[in-house]
Amino acid sequence: MSRVFETVKVGAVELPNRLVMSPMTRNRAGDGGVPTALNAEYYAQRASAGLIITEGNQPSVVSQGYLATPGLHSAEQVAGWKVVTDAVHAEGGRIFAQIMHSGRIGHPEISGHNPKAPSPVQADGTTYTPEGPKDHPVPDELTVEEIAGTVADFATAARNAIAAGFDGVELHGANGYLLQQFLSDNANLRTDSYGGSVDNRIRFVVEVVQAVVDAVGAERTGLRLSPGNTYNGLVESDPAGVYVPLVRALEPLGLAYLHLNVAATEPALVDELRAIWSGPLLVNQAATGALADLESAEAWLERGADAVVYGRAFLANPDLVERLRTGTELNDADGATFYGGTHVGYTDYPKAA
C-alpha cells in the first residue's frame, strides 16, 4: 500500500490519508459572502480527503478581492459555514478554513472600498466587477494603525472559523495577496518598520501568524506560501533571502503545518525550507502538470513532504482518494465552470461506479 494512504498527524487533527484538497476560489457564495447549502454539498462530497482546505475567506469587508467569495467576519457568514462544517463532519471529514486578504487585488465595485496594500502600487491586469472587467485601482497604503487593525481582523476571523466548527485555519500568504505583497520587492516600497530590510518585510506575516496562534492555538493554524511566485504581478528577486528568514522566524511557533505551492520555487529552496521546518509540510502539486498521480505524490513524500495537495483533481473527482487507491480513471476538470455559476461543474462531477 502506498504511503499516500497512511495516516499523518497535522496539528490537532489526524488525517486518514495524505491527500489534501487545495483551497480553490469557486465564486459561489451567497449574498453577503454567506455560504449556502450548495457549498455544503460540494465540500461534503469531498470529505474523504485527508484534509479539506476551503476557498479563501475575507477577514473584513475591505479585504474582498473577488465577486461571490465567502467571509468570516459576520454572524451570518459564521452560521453559513457551520452548515458546511456540520455536513463535512457528518461524512467523517476534516476541514480548515483559509483566511485570505486580497490586498491590492480588488475593486471598489466589489467591496465598496478602495483596496488596501503595503504601498500605493497598482497591480497589473483587470478584475471582474459587476460592471465587467476593470483595471485594478491604485490601492491605498495601509497606515501603521490600519496594519494593527488588519492583524486583529485575521485573529477575529480565525476565532469565527473555530466558532463555525472548522478544525483549524490556513492563512493565505501566497499567490500575490496581501501577506505576500508585504514580502515582495515591487508591491512593498515602505520605508517604515514594515518595509525595506528583510526583517521589516517579513514582520507583517509574522505578526499575523502570531496573532492567530494566540487566538486559536498553533495546533489549529497553518500557513500557505509560494516562494518566487509572480502571480498577480509580484516580483521576488531573491526568494531564498526572504523565505528562509521567514520560515526560521515561524519555526518556533509549532504551527499545524506549512503549505508550500512549489510551482515557481527552485527545488533547492524547497529542500532548504524543509530542512528548517520541523513540523508537517504540505506540498501543492501544481508544479507536476498532472491532475493527480500516485507516482509524483510518493516522490514528494520521499523528498520530505508529509502530505500532497491537489486542486483540480479534487474539484473534478469528489472521490479522488478512492480513485487513486483503485487505479480508476479520473474525471477531467472543466475550466469553463471553475468560477461562478450553478451546481454545474461544482456538485455534478460523478463518483466512480
Side-chain angles (χ1 to χ4, degrees):
M1 181 66 70
S2 167
R3 284 186 59 205
V4 170
F5 303 108
E6 294 177 354
T7 62
V8 64
K9 192 80 178 293
V10 171
V13 182
E14 180 154 337
L15 313 188
N17 60 71
R18 297 169 185 249
L19 296 165
V20 174
M21 177 173 162
S22 177
M24 292 175 284
T25 295
R26 303 303 308 274
N27 304 96
R28 285 172 168 85
D31 292 344
V34 177
T36 68
L38 183 64
N39 306 136
E41 180 183 2
Y42 167 75
Y43 284 113
Q45 286 176 340
R46 291 153 178 81
S48 61
L51 175 67
I52 293 171
I53 308 170
T54 73
E55 62 211 281
N57 284 266
Q58 49 261 13
S60 61
V61 174
V62 71
S63 62
Q64 182 175 1
Y66 301 101
L67 294 171
T69 52
L72 274 167
H73 56 83
S74 76
E76 293 79 11
Q77 292 163 353
V78 172
W81 274 120
K82 186 66 166 62
V83 175
V84 176
T85 60
D86 284 349
V88 170
H89 290 148
E91 293 295 326
R94 297 135 302 278
I95 184 167
F96 272 40
Q98 189 186 69
I99 304 175
M100 166 184 158
H101 190 307
S102 294
R104 66 180 188 166
I105 303 303
H107 198 277
E109 292 180 8
I110 295 172
S111 68
H113 301 268
N114 201 52
K116 299 279 189 177
S119 300
V121 180
Q122 185 177 20
D124 296 335
T126 62
T127 190
Y128 197 82
T129 77
E131 304 299 323
K134 294 192 176 181
D135 291 341
H136 294 292
V138 176
D140 296 331
E141 178 173 299
L142 286 160
T143 66
V144 172
E145 292 75 19
E146 286 173 332
I147 288 174
T150 302
V151 171
D153 288 340
F154 273 95
T156 298
R159 284 190 288 266
N160 286 342
I162 300 305
F166 283 102
D167 300 298
V169 299
E170 175 182 282
L171 305 175
H172 197 348
N175 296 9
Y177 300 114
L178 184 65
L179 271 67
Q180 192 182 10
Q181 289 165 25
F182 270 90
L183 302 176
S184 78
D185 298 17
N186 66 327
N188 183 354
L189 305 181
R190 302 177 73 97
T191 58
D192 62 5
S193 60
Y194 290 94
S197 70
V198 169
D199 285 347
N200 284 352
R201 284 191 285 132
I202 70 174
R203 187 184 310 276
F204 177 68
V205 178
V206 174
E207 288 182 352
V208 169
V209 175
Q210 183 66 67
V212 171
V213 165
D214 292 343
V216 301
E219 74 282 1
R220 298 193 183 278
T221 304
L223 173 66
R224 190 184 199 199
L225 299 173
S226 56
N229 190 347
T230 61
Y231 189 66
N232 280 321
L234 290 192
V235 172
E236 292 188 335
S237 60
D238 180 19
V242 173
Y243 287 91
V244 168
L246 174 61
V247 172
R248 280 194 178 129
L250 297 173
E251 158 66 18
L253 297 181
L255 301 184
Y257 64 78
L258 177 64
H259 174 188
L260 291 181
N261 180 345
V262 299
T265 309
E266 290 292 330
L269 179 53
V270 176
D271 294 337
E272 186 173 7
L273 296 177
R274 170 72 281 188
I276 296 168
W277 186 257
S278 63
L281 179 69
L282 280 53
V283 173
N284 193 288
Q285 291 285 282
T288 68
L291 202 60
D293 66 273
L294 286 180
E295 184 177 355
S296 65
E298 289 168 350
W300 276 113
L301 296 181
E302 287 298 318
R303 191 167 163 182
D306 294 284
V308 291
V309 186
Y310 287 112
R312 292 174 299 126
F314 269 112
L315 183 156
N317 297 273
D319 56 344
L320 177 65
V321 176
E322 189 61 21
R323 284 175 183 263
L324 291 177
R325 191 192 306 274
T326 59
T328 304
E329 184 178 0
L330 301 184
N331 299 322
D332 289 329
D334 179 9
T337 60
F338 282 179
Y339 306 112
T342 64
H343 72 286
V344 177
Y346 191 60
T347 58
D348 64 344
Y349 280 104
K351 292 186 176 183

